[in-house]
Amino acid sequence: MSDRTPDRVALLALPALVYMVIVFAIPVMVLIGRSFFGPSGLSVTPYIDFLSDGFNWRVIFNTLRTAALTTLVCLVIGYPTALALSWSKGFVQAIMLVAIILPLSVGVIVKAFAWQIVLRRDGIVASLLMATGVWDEPKLLLFTETGLVLGAANIFLPFMILPIYSVLKLIDPSLQHAAATLGAPPVYRFFRLSLPLAASGIISGCSIVFSLATSMYVIPSLLIGDRYQTLPTLTARAFLLMRNERLGSTTATILLFLTIAIVMLTAWLVRRREVQT
Amino acid sequence: MQNSVLEVAGAEKAFGSTTVLSGVDLAVENGEFISLLGPSGCGKTTLLRIVAGLLSADRGTVKLSGADITGLPTHMRGVGVVFQNYALFPHLTVAQNVAFGLKAQQISAGDIRATVAKYLDLVQLTSMADRPIRGLSGGQQQRVAVARALAVSPKLLLLDEPFSALDRKLRELMQIELKRILREVGITTVLVTHDQEEALVMSDRIAVMNKGAIEQFAAPGLIYQKPASRFVLDFVGHSTRIAGTTAKTTDGLLAIETAFGTLHAQSGYIPGSPVTVAIRPERISMSMAQETPPSVNVLSARLTDIIFQGSKYHLLFENQGDSHLLVEAGRIPEGMAVGANVHLHWSLEDTLVFPGAQE
Amino acid sequence: MTATERIWTFVTCLVATLVVVFLATPLVVTILTSFGSSSLFTLPPPSWSVRWYQRLTSVRGLGSTLLVSVEIAALSTFSSIVIGGLASIALVRGRFPGRTAIGTFLTSPLMLPGLVIGIALLQAFRFAGLRDVWTSLLLAHMIVTLPYAVRTIYSSLLLFDFTLVEAARTLGCSPMQAYIRVLIPALAPAFITSGIFAFLASMDNYAVSIFFTDAWTKTLPIMMLNLAEEQPDPTIAAISSLLIGLVLIFLIICDRAIGLRRIVDQH
Ligand SMILES: Nc1ncnc2c1ncn2[C@@H]1O[C@H](COP(=O)(O)OP(=O)(O)O)[C@@H](O)[C@H]1O
Ligand SMILES: [Mg+2]
């Protein structure tokens, strides 16, 4: 009867679990497994082939570099925003929340396409820089790395703001006052109090943005084009254009391991912080 | 007993390796209000949930009005429950909460409305009918919960610590109010509580529970004056306790040697066993040392402290510096002050003896 | 107000304004472009018009593509809420080992690159002999939508007081009736919001869909991607603006259901 239901209740997880195992876990495992199978059984030849090509190193480097730059821009803009969000109240806060949630809920293609327009030679950014005198003549930002990072940072910014905000809003504001009464100047308070307290939010924000930026596909396709290959664009090309599934499986697996490594690194960092504090 | 509404026999329950109920027997008469009184964690809620069918016992039977309902699912039992946190449905209004159980039955909309109105009137919440649950005070929530449980006309009503969420003043008010409501309906009721005053005030009989077993099931007066065990003595009310050793019995009077001299009691014990003599503090009389009191049990002690408690006084006595004896009095006898030597005396009936030395 | 407080207030407002402008830029640009008369994306447009919206009717295959997208999104969302809701009940109420691991597993597609999932499914479906585009899309999109359902319903169930279900049973409801009459209404906001976010995630998905579409059956994002590559003109901006409008409506519903702040907490 009812006290035994908790055990029978476990059966309710079965449909979802079975579905996810068959349609998700097994295919992903097979993908990983197959990338280690050459024509003559188990081997790492595909990886050796892949990594012995300088172009491919370039691709990996591009991927990580763009992701790192995007994360950095997001952090630099996102942290003050999260702070402002936690200080603000009422109407201002509501406006900010809408400004974060609305773009977050709009599809990536819509936003990436908009950035194609923004980054044109006659786009908003160029006009703005001309008007302020930073540029003397209009330049094309589209198809440059700067344009890519700017667009990606804009699209992923909410994923940086929200985790930091969720930590900041839990911090007791009286801590700031207490530190001030103890004679700590603002800069000292920032580095010794605000930043360490927000660290777990910063870590998870960076982790989310970094892995999103590592695996983004539409944004580089629309904002920088084929010249600049990253792991995801190369993966898609391998399958959709080159019909080279071996290459595609290899890059996909590298991408997968990269993402898993980020997740595990983050978990490790967070756990280490919890042990320390 | 043919008249029993509820009969629990040999109920046992264990969660994993922890035994929570070890053979509980309980019979509640028609229209009776009984309390399950015991410390937190003694298994009261578990017993209640077994009666309601929300939990099944490992062993034992539950009968309702003579019919065995041990295997019957909750919704077919006709047992109403007022939960500890009231468990009101937050998405419904007060009236919709009361109507909830009626809607599960085949009852016409008009009858439902009439019944809801009747029970809202009974708990004096008619004006709140269309309010959402969220804004209600604790007392109002409790009354909604009671009305909701009563509206389906259960044969038995179970209340699980219904006053624990209320502050003290409100709790005392609601105890009287609930008693009025339940008397009006005339329903057999089992109240679970860890508050002895609540149990003493509200119940026709009290079942004192300890570690998954009922130690005594009797009327409140009897529980207080003749506690069946050391546990009941300790759990219900205060007591003054003196350690002693039994000596021989003469003329039906048991002599007990204590640090305060020889005391007497009624019951029979083998000479030489360690016992505890206990007296309810308000049953002890005091007189100044010069007079000789008439009681069989007299001891003299020095008054060390007087604690004013509003309606009464607690007086602390000491003898040879070791034991503190507590006496409760409505007023301080004339001429008695701290440091005075006083005779404490009490009757044979008020002398309670329990096996085992004082802890 | 002290001088420092005034400075902080100023800084807060400044940061807030700048970031709101920055975040709103792509959406505003899209909407302005869609109402411009020029096909050259000039901003501000030389004059206003609705010609790009009128042109939508003549975009070949837009109607059927939209239908496929909505069908797939609605069906995968609905099935995800059903099996994800059941799984959430098991995870919250069950007493079995590995519950946390199962929860992480069911939401893990959120953390993995969509392309990788798409490729894995492409190979698996091919191995299983599944050729039908529509079915493949549906099966694949459920992997996208299920994590949203599990995440939201699970966190709402954690807050749900299960004595309410017991109360319903003491009032004469069978266990099934009790769940239907108490649990479902109490969780309605969670169903609505998780449903909306799952639906949007499916509607926007390209990373998984891109491997399953063909010339005849495609989803809206894939079509937009094709249009953006082949003939970029404000038609895409018009489609985008309509999608933004849809998101706006959905967010208003979510706000009514659980409030803006809890939507933020969900993310
Ligand atoms: N579902 C359960 N699983 C394990 N232990 C339980 C469960 N329910 C109650 N217990 C244990 O049983 C004991 C009695 O609980 P309960 O009947 O709620 O006590 P009371 O209501 O008298 O405070 C407690 O020690 C409690 O921890
Ligand atoms: Mg209890």
Side-chain angles (χ1 to χ4, degrees):
Chain A
M1 267 189 56
S2 44
D3 57 319
R4 262 184 272 124
T5 30
D7 302 332
R8 270 199 298 168
V9 132
L11 296 178
L12 296 179
L14 228 56
L17 203 56
V18 168
Y19 189 85
M20 285 290 284
V21 167
I22 294 178
V23 186
F24 170 69
I26 293 179
V28 171
M29 292 301 172
V30 170
L31 174 75
I32 297 173
R34 275 174 52 144
S35 75
F36 288 104
F37 268 99
S40 55
L42 199 64
S43 83
V44 288
T45 334
Y47 291 93
I48 294 173
D49 288 350
F50 181 79
L51 295 178
S52 58
D53 188 340
F55 172 78
N56 292 331
W57 279 105
R58 182 87 222 154
V59 169
I60 295 178
F61 177 75
N62 284 350
T63 312
L64 294 177
R65 180 186 153 90
T66 315
L69 285 173
T70 306
T71 309
L72 188 68
V73 174
C74 280
L75 180 61
V76 169
I77 306 176
Y79 183 78
T81 312
L83 264 185
L85 194 58
S86 69
W87 284 334
S88 62
K89 12 185 172 357
F91 184 68
V92 175
Q93 192 177 44
I95 291 287
M96 287 184 77
L97 289 177
V98 170
I100 292 165
I101 288 294
L102 181 60
L104 183 65
S105 316
V106 169
V108 172
I109 294 178
V110 171
K111 287 177 285 188
F113 182 71
W115 275 95
Q116 264 197 335
I117 304 173
V118 173
L119 297 174
R120 288 160 66 92
R121 200 182 297 275
D122 54 354
I124 299 177
V125 178
S127 316
L128 209 66
L129 291 173
M130 293 274 290
T132 52
V134 181
W135 280 359
D136 310 327
E137 57 182 52
K139 282 184 224 158
L140 184 66
L141 269 173
L142 196 60
F143 308 127
T144 66
E145 197 186 20
T146 317
L148 173 61
V149 170
L150 194 60
N154 172 274
I155 291 166
F156 298 140
L157 186 56
F159 295 101
M160 182 65 85
I161 298 173
L162 291 179
I164 301 181
Y165 167 64
S166 73
V167 176
L168 285 182
K169 77 175 174 193
L170 298 179
I171 298 177
D172 187 351
S174 59
L175 284 180
Q176 283 287 341
H177 301 157
T181 60
L182 292 171
V187 174
Y188 182 87
R189 291 211 300 267
F190 177 78
F191 281 105
R192 305 304 297 269
L193 189 66
S194 311
L195 211 53
L197 285 174
S200 67
I202 293 175
I203 293 172
S204 59
C206 287
S207 151
I208 296 169
V209 172
F210 192 83
S211 38
L212 285 173
T214 307
S215 39
M216 64 184 175
Y217 163 71
V218 160
I219 303 171
S221 326
L222 290 184
L223 296 190
I224 200 162
D226 293 342
R227 269 186 315 110
Y228 189 86
Q229 289 291 336
T230 61
L231 278 175
T233 55
L234 185 61
T235 307
R237 265 173 78 86
F239 271 90
L240 300 171
L241 294 172
M242 296 147 64
R243 306 275 161 199
N244 183 349
E245 298 211 355
R246 244 174 73 112
L247 173 66
S249 301
T250 311
T251 51
T253 311
I254 294 177
L255 187 59
L256 182 64
F257 282 135
L258 209 57
T259 323
I260 293 173
I262 296 166
V263 171
M264 287 173 58
L265 180 72
T266 316
W268 180 74
L269 278 176
V270 169
R271 206 165 331 114
R272 212 178 59 134
R273 280 198 52 78
E274 276 167 4
V275 172
Q276 277 176 356
T277 49
Chain B
M1 280 184 265
Q2 304 95 349
N3 213 11
S4 291
V5 168
L6 173 68
E7 253 185 279
V8 179
E12 290 177 26
K13 180 74 191 176
F15 292 111
S17 58
T18 27
T19 304
V20 175
L21 294 181
S22 47
V24 171
D25 297 303
L26 184 72
V28 186
E29 310 290 297
N30 194 5
E32 207 180 11
F33 188 121
I34 75 134
S35 292
L36 288 176
L37 174 66
S40 178
C42 71
K44 306 180 297 284
T45 300
T46 305
L47 181 56
L48 204 75
R49 291 168 60 81
I50 288 173
V51 172
L54 296 168
L55 202 65
S56 63
D58 299 338
R59 234 179 305 283
T61 56
V62 182
K63 282 186 186 166
L64 197 65
S65 304
D68 190 331
I69 57 162
T70 313
L72 208 62
T74 303
H75 61 284
M76 294 161 77
R77 289 194 173 195
V79 173
V81 181
V82 172
F83 290 84
Q84 189 159 7
N85 62 354
Y86 309 137
L88 298 176
F89 304 121
H91 58 292
L92 303 178
T93 63
V94 168
Q96 287 168 338
N97 262 278
V98 178
F100 187 95
L102 300 166
K103 283 192 180 144
Q105 305 167 9
Q106 306 298 341
I107 301 178
S108 77
D111 288 350
I112 291 181
R113 221 170 310 129
T115 313
V116 170
K118 175 181 148 196
Y119 282 97
L120 282 180
D121 181 53
L122 180 71
V123 299
Q124 300 178 340
L125 281 176
T126 307
S127 60
M128 298 284 205
D130 297 318
R131 295 274 191 90
I133 293 302
R134 217 170 292 277
L136 299 187
S137 72
Q140 290 164 339
Q141 289 192 17
Q142 190 204 55
R143 282 183 284 162
V144 178
V146 170
R148 183 179 73 176
L150 291 176
V152 288
S153 313
K155 295 193 200 82
L156 172 70
L157 182 65
L158 307 177
L159 308 165
D160 193 354
E161 314 228 3
F163 305 103
S164 61
L166 309 180
D167 60 43
R168 195 191 155 95
K169 266 269 159 48
L170 184 61
R171 191 182 315 166
E172 284 169 4
L173 257 169
M174 289 304 299
Q175 286 170 359
I176 297 164
E177 174 69 8
L178 187 62
K179 195 121 198 229
R180 173 192 72 78
I181 293 169
L182 297 182
R183 198 164 30 224
E184 207 168 315
V185 178
I187 188 167
T188 314
T189 307
V190 177
L191 168 81
V192 158
T193 180
H194 65 264
D195 180 343
Q196 42 149 327
E197 267 173 53
E198 189 172 303
L200 292 171
V201 167
M202 298 194 71
S203 329
D204 299 324
R205 282 194 292 166
I206 299 174
V208 182
M209 275 186 81
N210 181 32
K211 292 183 186 146
I214 292 178
E215 299 235 339
Q216 187 174 14
F217 186 27
L222 222 52
I223 294 274
Y224 186 77
Q225 282 150 22
K226 295 276 175 234
S229 67
R230 260 305 280 282
F231 175 80
V232 178
L233 171 79
D234 289 348
F235 196 73
V236 183
H238 295 286
S239 60
T240 290
R241 280 158 299 183
I242 302 165
T245 311
T246 53
K248 61 179 191 298
T249 306
T250 41
D251 298 338
L253 269 192
L254 172 70
I256 302 166
E257 299 302 336
T258 73
F260 299 93
T262 308
L263 300 176
H264 297 89
Q266 279 173 324
S267 45
Y269 276 84
I270 309 164
S273 11
V275 290
T276 300
V277 178
I279 316 102
R280 294 296 183 188
E282 75 284 357
R283 310 297 290 186
I284 302 177
S285 308
M286 297 172 287
S287 53
M288 296 304 288
Q290 298 83 349
E291 306 154 33
T292 310
S295 309
V296 278
N297 286 319
V298 185
L299 58 82
S300 69
R302 201 170 61 86
L303 179 61
T304 58
D305 212 346
I306 299 176
I307 302 157
F308 179 52
Q309 300 230 313
S311 58
K312 59 185 188 276
Y313 292 89
H314 276 177
L315 296 93
L316 291 181
F317 291 89
E318 175 185 278
N319 178 299
Q320 294 152 1
D322 54 349
S323 283
H324 287 276
L325 306 177
L326 174 71
V327 175
E328 192 179 301
R331 57 177 195 87
I332 311 283
E334 240 169 276
M336 202 173 281
V338 170
N341 274 322
V342 178
H343 280 309
L344 304 178
H345 53 98
W346 61 90
S347 73
L348 201 59
E349 296 86 68
D350 290 328
T351 314
L352 308 167
V353 181
F354 298 97
Q358 201 173 347
E359 71 279 356
Chain C
M1 215 196 265
T2 67
T4 22
E5 270 175 332
R6 226 169 302 149
I7 293 173
W8 281 134
T9 312
F10 176 75
V11 169
T12 307
C13 288
L14 187 71
V15 169
T17 315
L18 288 178
V19 170
V20 168
V21 169
F22 181 56
L23 284 170
T25 300
L27 309 190
V28 173
V29 164
T30 303
I31 294 168
L32 289 183
T33 312
S34 75
F35 285 109
S37 55
S38 151
S39 60
L40 290 174
F41 306 107
T42 350
L43 279 177
S47 65
W48 304 105
S49 89
V50 288
R51 58 184 277 214
W52 306 113
Y53 289 90
Q54 286 161 342
R55 265 205 51 178
L56 288 182
T57 47
S58 62
V59 176
R60 205 153 38 85
L62 181 61
S64 60
T65 299
L66 189 63
L67 186 67
V68 170
S69 263
V70 170
E71 277 173 351
I72 299 289
L75 273 176
S76 62
T77 300
F78 178 75
S79 342
S80 295
I81 286 183
V82 173
I83 67 172
L86 292 176
S88 304
I89 294 181
L91 293 181
V92 172
R93 291 296 278 171
R95 301 270 167 277
F96 52 93
R99 275 175 298 150
T100 338
I102 293 174
T104 312
F105 171 59
L106 292 182
T107 51
S108 63
L110 280 177
M111 292 182 285
L112 299 185
L115 284 181
V116 176
I117 298 174
I119 289 168
L121 294 189
L122 174 72
Q123 294 177 340
F125 290 171
R126 200 190 291 149
F127 176 79
L130 180 63
R131 302 214 94 97
D132 184 50
V133 175
W134 196 89
T135 314
S136 308
L137 279 173
L138 180 64
L139 291 179
H141 275 233
M142 276 180 67
I143 305 291
V144 176
T145 50
L146 186 64
Y148 288 91
V150 171
R151 192 174 63 176
T152 311
I153 299 174
Y154 178 79
S155 62
S156 297
L157 271 178
L158 281 183
L159 300 176
F160 180 76
D161 176 10
F162 276 88
T163 33
L164 294 181
V165 175
E166 295 186 337
R169 287 171 57 198
T170 66
L171 293 167
C173 291
S174 68
M176 202 59 204
Q177 277 177 319
Y179 275 103
I180 291 171
R181 289 188 59 196
V182 178
L183 187 70
I184 305 244
L187 287 189
F191 290 135
I192 293 171
T193 41
S194 69
I196 281 177
F197 284 106
F199 186 87
L200 288 176
S202 165
M203 283 290 282
D204 293 336
N205 181 278
Y206 61 87
V208 175
S209 318
I210 201 166
F211 297 102
F212 299 107
T213 48
D214 58 23
W216 304 277
T217 314
K218 44 178 109 164
T219 61
L220 195 58
I222 303 302
M223 182 172 209
M224 288 170 71
L225 215 50
N226 293 346
L227 285 176
E229 278 159 6
E230 287 155 20
Q231 41 155 346
D233 68 24
T235 317
I236 309 168
I239 301 175
S240 295
S241 300
L242 293 178
L243 286 176
I244 294 171
L246 182 75
V247 169
L248 204 57
I249 293 169
F250 278 170
L251 283 186
I252 291 170
I253 297 174
C254 281
D255 183 42
R256 287 288 136 78
I258 65 169
L260 198 59
R261 280 178 184 78
R262 273 193 59 196
I263 302 176
V264 171
D265 293 340
Q266 303 267 323
H267 277 280

